[in-house]
Amino acid sequence: EVQLVQSGAEVKKPGESLRISCKGSGYRFTTDWISWVRQMPGKGLEWMGRIDPSDSYTNYSPSFQGHVTISADKSISTAYLQWNSLKASDTALYYCARHFQPLGASYYYMDVWGKGTTVTVSS
Amino acid sequence: QSVLTQPPSASGTPGQRVTISCSGSSSNIGVNTVNWYQQLPGTAPKLLIYSDNQRPSGVPDRFSGSKSGTSASLAISGLQSEDEADYYCAAWDDSLNGYVFGPGTKVTVL
């Protein structure tokens, strides 16, 4: 079974650093991108950025560029989302998702999602 | 403000047909395929439609997608109570070089 398993909920103080993880299993991790998606309380989905685990190429939404870092360790099939200095406004639910491209196709879609990691930032 | 536009809400009685629109531009829907995601309360999003009108295995054929120009639509026919959820359209945007979601539409079954 293809699945993405995310790390557990985090409670942090403003200014602290944090790295959350997303471990893929059941498929070849380097074949497909991993995207990160934010959902603030009571709000919609926001694409943050993605990484190609085969070469760690990343690209970010302009809204998140410079605020977070996406990385991956293909040896352990894990992608990461990192903050150096959290703010209260980073409080949200964060999902990772496999950004799948069928063989020979020119299109992508997020077909497998993690259950989400809740991040709470409060003093 | 979202690059893609959706109505905030839609509703219908059981058995009715509900349609959700998604409006974009020449840099996203106009040149790339549209995907739709369903998010039931308290759960992770689920892929509902990909490549404009394709259903993943396991998605009931009550759900259908279409696209014309820079707009797309999701239709739910034979609405059921378990269809109460938030629905998001999404597409790659070539100008932003990123994936964009619509703001979501909350479907209520009356």
Side-chain angles (χ1 to χ4, degrees), chain B residues 18-96:
Chain B
V18 169
T19 301
I20 301 168
S21 62
C22 175
S23 180
S25 69
S26 57
S27 64
N28 42 66
I29 294 178
V31 291
N32 294 307
T33 61
V34 176
N35 304 316
W36 290 89
Y37 300 91
Q38 176 194 57
Q39 188 175 31
L40 297 169
T43 69
K46 168 191 166 184
L47 179 67
L48 197 65
I49 297 286
Y50 68 92
S51 188
D52 301 335
N53 54 21
Q54 301 298 302
R55 281 187 309 277
S57 174
V59 172
D61 59 7
R62 302 186 290 105
F63 295 93
S64 62
S66 63
K67 186 176 86 171
S68 178
T70 59
S71 293
S73 292
L74 173 72
I76 311 172
S77 58
L79 192 66
Q80 299 183 5
S81 58
E82 57 260 39
D83 298 333
E84 275 207 347
D86 294 319
Y87 293 84
Y88 298 88
C89 60
W92 190 263
D93 189 292
D94 288 353
S95 293
L96 296 174

Side-chain angles (χ1 to χ4, degrees), chain A residues 9-69:
Chain A
E10 301 276 0
V11 179
K12 292 289 189 178
K13 290 180 166 41
E16 290 186 332
S17 63
L18 174 64
R19 188 177 76 167
I20 62 176
S21 66
C22 169
K23 183 175 177 61
S25 64
Y27 75 104
R28 188 174 178 179
F29 188 69
T30 53
T31 302
D32 304 296
W33 304 348
I34 293 290
S35 277
W36 286 93
V37 176
R38 183 177 79 174
Q39 188 166 40
M40 298 180 77
K43 303 298 184 182
L45 305 175
E46 301 173 89
W47 183 78
M48 302 175 71
R50 62 96 175 177
I51 187 164
D52 183 339
S54 68
D55 60 7
S56 288
Y57 173 81
T58 55
N59 69 295
Y60 296 88
S61 162
S63 299
F64 294 93
Q65 179 84 48
H67 297 291
V68 296
T69 301

Side-chain angles (χ1 to χ4, degrees), chain A:
Chain A
E1 178 193 7
V2 176
Q3 57 180 349
L4 296 173
V5 178
Q6 296 189 233
S7 50
E10 301 276 0
V11 179
K12 292 289 189 178
K13 290 180 166 41
E16 290 186 332
S17 63
L18 174 64
R19 188 177 76 167
I20 62 176
S21 66
C22 169
K23 183 175 177 61
S25 64
Y27 75 104
R28 188 174 178 179
F29 188 69
T30 53
T31 302
D32 304 296
W33 304 348
I34 293 290
S35 277
W36 286 93
V37 176
R38 183 177 79 174
Q39 188 166 40
M40 298 180 77
K43 303 298 184 182
L45 305 175
E46 301 173 89
W47 183 78
M48 302 175 71
R50 62 96 175 177
I51 187 164
D52 183 339
S54 68
D55 60 7
S56 288
Y57 173 81
T58 55
N59 69 295
Y60 296 88
S61 162
S63 299
F64 294 93
Q65 179 84 48
H67 297 291
V68 296
T69 301
I70 296 172
S71 61
D73 185 341
K74 61 184 179 182
S75 69
I76 54 172
S77 302
T78 300
Y80 302 98
L81 178 65
Q82 179 176 334
W83 295 260
N84 289 333
S85 181
L86 287 161
K87 304 175 184 177
S89 57
D90 293 318
T91 295
L93 180 55
Y94 293 88
Y95 293 103
C96 63
R98 183 175 78 162
H99 220 134
F100 180 69
Q101 181 182 32
L103 192 64
S106 60
Y107 53 83
Y108 298 84
Y109 49 85
M110 295 179 187
D111 66 333
V112 179
W113 292 69
K115 293 188 185 305
T117 296
T118 299
V119 174
T120 303
V121 184
S122 174
S123 55

